[in-house]
Amino acid sequence: MAVAALGAAGQAAAQGNAPIKVGFMLPATGTFANLGEMIENGFKMHVNEQGGKLAGRDVQYFKVDDESDPAKATDNVNKLIKRDQVDVLVGTVHSGVALAMAKVARETGTLLIIPNAGADVITGAMCAKNIFRTSFSNWQPAFAMGKVAAERGHKRAMTITWNYAAGNESVKGFTEGFEKGGGKVSDNLTLPFPNVEYQALLTQIASQKPDAVYAFFAGGGAVKFVKDYVAAGLNKTIPLYGPGFLTDGTLEAQGEAAQGMLTTLHYADNLNTPRDNAFRLAFAKNYKTNADVYAVQGYDAAQLLAVGLKAVNGDISKRDQMQEAMRKAKIDSPRGTFSLSAAHNPVQDIYLRQVNGKNNEVKGVAIKSLADPARGCKM
Ligand code: BEZ
């Protein structure tokens, strides 16, 4: 009996010291590659700030490049769950890929923290106790931009985006905010993800002459779109708006073309709070580049995981208790403190920002403490 008891104690101790396995499913190639890198760096920076441990446990990382390809998503997520046996999934950027991850997370009960992808349904009809998001829903910044565009007196807008969940939901959110404010969206233009052959669509905008254009693009696709819009001369008569992804992490490459652009997002480059200043300084020192919204979302994913693990003293098997603590977390984010809605999506301020040089400068708060409607969420 004594031997058996010792064995059990030894086993418990071994489990207690075993690392927490974090599975990153992020894009390492393609138009969103840079976004994936910023998320991973942000996440690791928080863990490193805790001495490389969360709730006393080491953290071991596993990685797959999801290529922002929904067709490969189920196989990729299963590599992390079945092959690597991760404790928690962290991913991803692309809404279509995240939808597949959320489906598998629901089926297997694996803890999933989404550090970007905004697919509305994930914290709507697909909401679940084990699925959390530290970024935004596609509706949030889009609805705010619609409201701002209407307040700026625009009456007729056109939209342009990639034809996939994030683009379509972003356009829908903008339309809701804009039409509520008295505007009308006259036409929605799309092209397949991740195409960047914008010319024919820009010609349509030129001929239809709306008062304003709303565009959802991100990463490499956003860089090219903003440059092409200006090269076509459209910015001289038709202001271009978007959710902040259109100009976040892209300004170095967009240069002159992005100057003066207004966007809405839950982060900006010069919030100038002690919290954000410390974060930006540390990030720049660690990674030799300026932090952006993606870095913040990754950092906050690690913060949220840390809250859950602390609540159970690192014993990840106490899942209900851990998830309950995550649900109630108040995250001291560089963006400003946020809490999570009942559907596990951030309730957060959406800033109005304007591009000045290499910064998305905050101009004010477009909507305070904005919660996603979480349509269809039943926990
Ligand atoms: C998305 O697919 O949800 C997404 C991708 C890049 C930036 C923002 C949202």
Side-chain angles (χ1 to χ4, degrees), residues 32 35 93-96 116-119 136 138 164 166 216 218 245 294:
F32 290 159
L35 287 59
V93 171
H94 183 286
S95 274
N116 185 69
F136 59 92
N138 288 321
Y164 83 115
F216 170 93
F245 316 112
Y294 308 105

Side-chain angles (χ1 to χ4, degrees), residues 238-321:
I238 312 171
L240 174 61
Y241 298 108
F245 316 112
L246 201 55
T247 58
D248 226 89
T250 54
L251 290 175
E252 195 92 40
Q254 284 165 334
E256 254 323 288
Q259 296 308 305
M261 275 182 63
L262 290 171
T263 61
T264 45
L265 203 64
H266 46 287
Y267 188 58
D269 288 319
N270 65 330
L271 292 176
N272 204 17
T273 58
R275 178 72 177 107
D276 189 46
N277 290 345
F279 165 78
R280 292 181 75 88
L281 187 64
F283 194 89
K285 271 192 187 156
N286 277 297
Y287 303 110
K288 315 287 173 247
T289 187
N290 286 331
D292 60 14
V293 70
Y294 308 105
V296 171
Q297 294 168 170
Y299 186 83
D300 291 342
Q303 292 211 75
L304 181 62
L305 178 61
V307 167
L309 284 169
K310 269 181 209 146
V312 294
N313 285 325
D315 183 354
I316 204 160
S317 70
K318 294 185 176 154
R319 286 291 298 279
D320 286 349
Q321 212 181 314

Side-chain angles (χ1 to χ4, degrees), residues 160 162 190-192 194-202 224-225 228:
I160 176 164
W162 284 311
T190 61
L191 73 169
N195 285 11
V196 292
E197 301 312 319
Y198 302 121
Q199 217 46 55
L201 300 178
L202 292 175
K224 181 157 189 300
F225 181 76
D228 285 4

